[in-house]
Each structure stands twice: as structure tokens, then as C-alpha cells.
Amino acid sequence: MSELSRRTCGRSLQGVQVSASRRSGTTDELGPDEPEPGGSDLLAALLDGMDAALCAFDADGVVTHWNREAERILGWTAAEAVGRRGFAGWAVRTADAEEVEARLLSAMEAPGRQVNEFALLTKDGGRVLVRTQSAAVRGPDGKPAGVYCAFSEVHAQIDLERSIALSEALFEDASWGVVLVDADLRPAVVNAHAARALGTGRTAVLGRPLGELLAQGVEELESALTHVLAEGAPPAPAEMWVSVRSAEGEQRRCWRSGFVRLASPLTEEPVPLGVGWLFQDVTEAKQTEQEAALLRFRANQLHRAARAAAECEDPGEAATVHLDFSLAGFADHALIDRVAGGPVTDEEGPVRLVRATATPAGAPGPSLLTGKAGLPVRYPEGHPALQCIERAGSVRASSAESAPERTREWAAARQWPADAVHALCAVLRSRGRTLGVVTFLRGAGRTQFERADAMYAEDVAVRIAMALDLEELVDRP
């Protein structure tokens, strides 16, 4: 055995023997020069179990160690490699041997490690490009006693470097959010983009439950993460609406999310380490898409209502047709109030309103014609319908009460169905005159009316006003 091999084995065995002595409590039974049985086997097992190929040279350039991974890459067994001087004629072409050996053995005089790339020869005559890391092996006197060289195929090293570079880029420069969630559904690593989306810092997110970061949507997100841990990644991204807590209050966002299950590559069976969650904020695009779909639906409803109203002989019936078609996806109730005594101009004073048409307050159904007696509706001063006539424009109103009893009182005071929570009044105008008001009502399960809803209600009101004006002309003696 060469000097380097004896020194390496000696140091390894000495380390093992000291550990054994400490475990047994007899520090003086084994001296530093007494080899412990099985120590060489342990060293061989450690070398052969390495993922990287390893060889070692003594100070004269003779191969002293050759592990199983080196045999796998080049095909030369340890028995064939150990004892050879250098790589010339077997692991390296003769023309390249001098340069290769000089660069490897130069590590004995250089501090730290040296990285090189060489083309080595396999046993069957092929060539393989490897990347080596070489460093000096020091003897007991501190002088260089040899060189150890760890090497791997370049493409495998490049794959590893690419994986590391990809991870670094994802967590530093990615333009979408990346979060690694552990098996307890708590963030373990968060990139800068995700931290900004969550409205906090990168370190402040770590280890916190998702419920502390999101006001709404956390149940859906945790359900998705649990599914990925159990079943694996879904086949397509999922769009999730969440509410994020911020200094300005809760912000509702739509995140297009992808999930991948993370498993340890070091175990025989896959052990889930957590979930990789990648998401991108698509709130603006989603809102634009929803608004476009809503506009298409409402335009289609107006078209269908116009076609159906054109077949009505009675203009009053045509007005109810427009009202019924407008309710789909828009409101829960609707009613039409006509001005008592006929249409009025803007110059006239306060008016009284008569309920002409209303949808059923209980079960859904077509609008019902009412108000044949001509009795005015008892609207209090400041009622949204009266404000609508005064302004000749739309008026929106919502109950500020949260208790159901108070909400019912609010609706009853305004002569509306008991479940009404949000209201939108649009004036009925035709030929420069005010004919009445159409009121749309929503229950507690819907959002309040927005500006886009008012524009749609005004389109419906124009069609209803034209039908009511035509009814007046037809019925006039």
C-alpha cells in the first residue's frame, strides 16, 4: 500500500476508533496506532457510496484510491486502476497525459480547490468529458502527500448547475409569485414577487398560517394544497379569488395558480416535502373578461326583449316584457311606477306615483299589472323614486343595516318587498316628458348596484318608456 493510502486509512481508522472508545468509555484500551477492526471496510463503503467519482494520487502520481462511481463512468475497475502511475495510456490519451497530470498534481502546491475539465478515456475506447475538483492531501507534518480528485460527467454537472440557477432565478428575479409550502401548509420559502402580492416581507411570511395572510379564499387554497400533497399536481392551472389584507384594507385579487408536489430524491419511496405554488395576478384581465361577458349577455337580453315586445299587441304588455327580460342575472324584483294624472314636464312641481307593474314578492314569476284603481303609492319625502324624477336621472340606494329585522323595516318603509337590500331607480322619459320610474331591487345575496348597472337600467327604462308612451297614444280617445 502506498504512503498516501496508509496515511488516509490511518487517519480514518483513528477517527473511527476514537468514536468507538468514547462510546465504550475506555479511552485507553485502543491506542492511536492500533487499527480498529472493520475500519478499512468502513472507508471503502464511504468511498463507494459517494455520488461523485473519486480517485486519489500520492506525491509521485500513483493512483491510490478509485471508487465505484469512477468505475461506472470510465469502466475501469479499482483493481485495474489502483497502482498505475498517472492516466497516461489508459484513462487519458498519451498526447494529453502530461498536461492532465501536471494540472492535477499542481493542486498539491495550490491553496484550496482547483476546477478543471478533461476528456478522459473509457475502457471501451470512448471519450467522456468530465469536470474535476482537485485539492491537496496533507500529511501529519503539514506537507503535501498527494492529491484527491473528485469528478463527474460535465452534462450531469451542468444539469445540476442549471437546477440551482433556476431555483435562484425563481426566488430572486421571477415575474410571478413562487412559494414553497411545507407539509403543514405553511410557507417555507417565498420569493420577492409573492411577498409583494401578499403585502408583507419575505421573512415575515415564513411559518405563518395562510389564514393570517389571506382574508378570503384561504379554504380553497388549502384544499388545493392538500390535494396536491395527496394526489400530485393538477393537469392545468387554477384561478382562485382571494382577499389580501393590506394597509388600505382588503383587496380582492384573482391568482392563476399552478402546483407541483415536492418529493425527496434521497429516499427509496417518494416522501412529500411540500408543494411548490406558482401564481400570477390576473385580476385586471379577469375583470375585463367578466365585464365583456356581462355586456354580451345584457345586449342579448335587450335584443330578445325587443323581438318579444314587437309581437305584443298591447303596448302595456310590451313594457312588462322588457321588464321581465331585464331581470335575468340583474335583479330579484322590479316595479314600474307611473306618474299620477299623466306625463309631466320638468317645469312642473312635485308629483305622485301610482304602482303600475310589479314582479311577485314571493315565488318568481312574470310581472303583474296593478294600479287599476289609480291610488298613489305612499312614498315618503326623499324616497329614491321621487329623487329620480326630480333629477331626471338614476338613483342608487342600499340599506346600511346589517340585522335582518332592521333591513326589513328599511324596505317596508319604502314600499318595497321585505327582502330588498339594494335599489336602483331609473326615470322613464319619452318625448321630453317624465312618465314614471322603474325600480330594480336586489336581495342580501347580491352586491350593490354599480355604475355599469345604472347604464343598463337606463337602456331598459328607455324601452319601457317608449312602450308606455305608445300605450297612452293608443288609449287616447
Side-chain angles (χ1 to χ4, degrees), residues 33-112:
D33 296 329
E34 299 177 9
E36 183 177 351
S40 58
D41 295 337
L42 175 60
L43 177 60
L46 290 174
L47 294 179
D48 286 339
M50 295 177 61
D51 292 332
L54 185 137
C55 64
F57 304 88
D58 62 12
D60 297 326
V62 177
V63 178
T64 60
H65 292 79
W66 189 268
N67 72 345
R68 199 177 299 269
E69 183 65 12
E71 178 182 346
R72 185 194 68 80
I73 294 177
L74 298 180
W76 301 97
T77 65
E80 295 171 324
V82 174
R84 290 178 179 263
R85 182 181 179 86
F87 284 157
W90 62 287
V92 175
R93 294 192 310 172
T94 305
D96 301 332
E98 183 177 353
E99 178 187 359
V100 171
E101 292 176 11
R103 292 167 67 179
L104 286 176
L105 296 179
S106 66
M108 285 192 295
E109 307 298 333

Side-chain angles (χ1 to χ4, degrees), residues 108-140:
M108 285 192 295
E109 307 298 333
R113 293 179 298 174
Q114 289 188 343
V115 178
N116 296 288
E117 289 187 2
F118 302 124
L120 300 183
L121 296 178
T122 61
K123 187 176 181 180
D124 57 7
R127 299 183 69 191
V128 57
L129 185 63
V130 300
R131 180 170 295 175
T132 66
Q133 293 188 27
S134 306
V137 177
R138 304 286 175 181

Side-chain angles (χ1 to χ4, degrees), residues 33-260:
D33 296 329
E34 299 177 9
E36 183 177 351
S40 58
D41 295 337
L42 175 60
L43 177 60
L46 290 174
L47 294 179
D48 286 339
M50 295 177 61
D51 292 332
L54 185 137
C55 64
F57 304 88
D58 62 12
D60 297 326
V62 177
V63 178
T64 60
H65 292 79
W66 189 268
N67 72 345
R68 199 177 299 269
E69 183 65 12
E71 178 182 346
R72 185 194 68 80
I73 294 177
L74 298 180
W76 301 97
T77 65
E80 295 171 324
V82 174
R84 290 178 179 263
R85 182 181 179 86
F87 284 157
W90 62 287
V92 175
R93 294 192 310 172
T94 305
D96 301 332
E98 183 177 353
E99 178 187 359
V100 171
E101 292 176 11
R103 292 167 67 179
L104 286 176
L105 296 179
S106 66
M108 285 192 295
E109 307 298 333
R113 293 179 298 174
Q114 289 188 343
V115 178
N116 296 288
E117 289 187 2
F118 302 124
L120 300 183
L121 296 178
T122 61
K123 187 176 181 180
D124 57 7
R127 299 183 69 191
V128 57
L129 185 63
V130 300
R131 180 170 295 175
T132 66
Q133 293 188 27
S134 306
V137 177
R138 304 286 175 181
D141 55 359
K143 295 181 179 180
V147 174
Y148 80 84
C149 173
F151 63 92
S152 60
E153 297 177 76
V154 167
H155 69 83
Q157 183 72 17
I158 292 177
D159 289 343
L160 175 61
E161 292 179 0
R162 283 185 183 138
S163 299
I164 297 174
L166 175 61
S167 300
E168 294 294 332
L170 285 176
F171 288 106
E172 294 296 337
D173 306 322
S175 59
W176 55 85
V178 181
V179 180
L180 297 189
V181 183
D182 61 20
D184 295 327
L185 306 185
R186 295 172 183 256
V189 184
V190 178
N191 74 340
H193 187 95
R196 288 193 300 269
L198 293 169
T200 183
R202 293 182 64 177
T203 57
V205 180
L206 305 183
R208 295 174 58 186
L210 294 174
E212 295 182 5
L213 305 173
L214 302 176
Q216 295 180 5
V218 64
E219 295 85 1
E220 182 181 6
L221 176 59
E222 289 182 343
S223 175
L225 294 172
T226 303
H227 173 80
V228 173
L229 282 172
E231 304 293 337
E239 293 178 351
M240 298 184 177
W241 284 93
V242 300
S243 293
V244 182
R245 295 187 177 94
S246 65
E248 295 78 15
E250 295 183 3
Q251 296 182 352
R252 187 162 173 78
R253 314 301 297 172
C254 181
W255 291 343
R256 181 170 293 151
S257 303
F259 304 93
V260 290

Side-chain angles (χ1 to χ4, degrees), residues 178-443:
V178 181
V179 180
L180 297 189
V181 183
D182 61 20
D184 295 327
L185 306 185
R186 295 172 183 256
V189 184
V190 178
N191 74 340
H193 187 95
R196 288 193 300 269
L198 293 169
T200 183
R202 293 182 64 177
T203 57
V205 180
L206 305 183
R208 295 174 58 186
L210 294 174
E212 295 182 5
L213 305 173
L214 302 176
Q216 295 180 5
V218 64
E219 295 85 1
E220 182 181 6
L221 176 59
E222 289 182 343
S223 175
L225 294 172
T226 303
H227 173 80
V228 173
L229 282 172
E231 304 293 337
E239 293 178 351
M240 298 184 177
W241 284 93
V242 300
S243 293
V244 182
R245 295 187 177 94
S246 65
E248 295 78 15
E250 295 183 3
Q251 296 182 352
R252 187 162 173 78
R253 314 301 297 172
C254 181
W255 291 343
R256 181 170 293 151
S257 303
F259 304 93
V260 290
R261 181 168 61 179
L262 306 178
S264 173
L266 304 179
T267 57
E268 296 182 1
E269 296 183 0
V271 176
L273 299 178
V275 177
W277 171 32
L278 295 84
F279 66 90
Q280 190 173 25
D281 195 321
V282 294
T283 306
E284 295 183 1
K286 198 65 179 177
Q287 288 176 342
T288 301
E289 179 183 336
Q290 291 177 346
E291 291 172 359
L294 183 61
L295 287 176
R296 287 194 301 269
F297 174 76
R298 289 179 176 177
N300 187 47
Q301 286 297 100
L302 291 174
H303 174 74
R304 294 175 59 196
R307 294 286 300 272
E311 302 300 324
C312 297
E313 296 182 4
D314 182 6
E317 182 183 355
T320 62
V321 168
H322 283 291
L323 190 67
D324 291 335
F325 269 92
S326 66
L327 286 178
F330 182 67
D332 298 316
H333 304 287
L335 49 93
I336 298 175
D337 296 325
R338 303 186 66 170
V339 176
V344 297
T345 59
D346 296 338
E347 291 76 13
E348 299 186 24
V351 299
R352 293 183 301 170
L353 297 174
V354 176
R355 182 67 49 83
T357 304
T359 54
S367 302
L368 303 176
L369 297 175
T370 59
K372 295 185 179 298
L375 299 177
V377 185
R378 296 180 296 106
Y379 282 155
E381 184 178 356
H383 190 280
L386 299 178
Q387 295 181 25
C388 178
I389 290 180
E390 293 174 3
R391 302 176 185 178
S394 300
V395 174
R396 287 175 284 170
S398 295
S399 173
E401 306 293 341
S402 58
E405 297 80 6
R406 302 296 297 274
T407 301
R408 285 192 290 268
E409 294 175 3
W410 177 85
R414 288 157 179 78
Q415 308 298 313
W416 291 334
D419 59 344
V421 176
H422 309 291
L424 171 60
C425 298
V427 66
L428 302 175
R429 299 272 297 176
S430 178
R431 293 190 295 154
R433 301 174 306 159
T434 300
L435 281 68
V437 178
V438 57
T439 302
F440 297 97
L441 302 169
R442 288 178 177 175

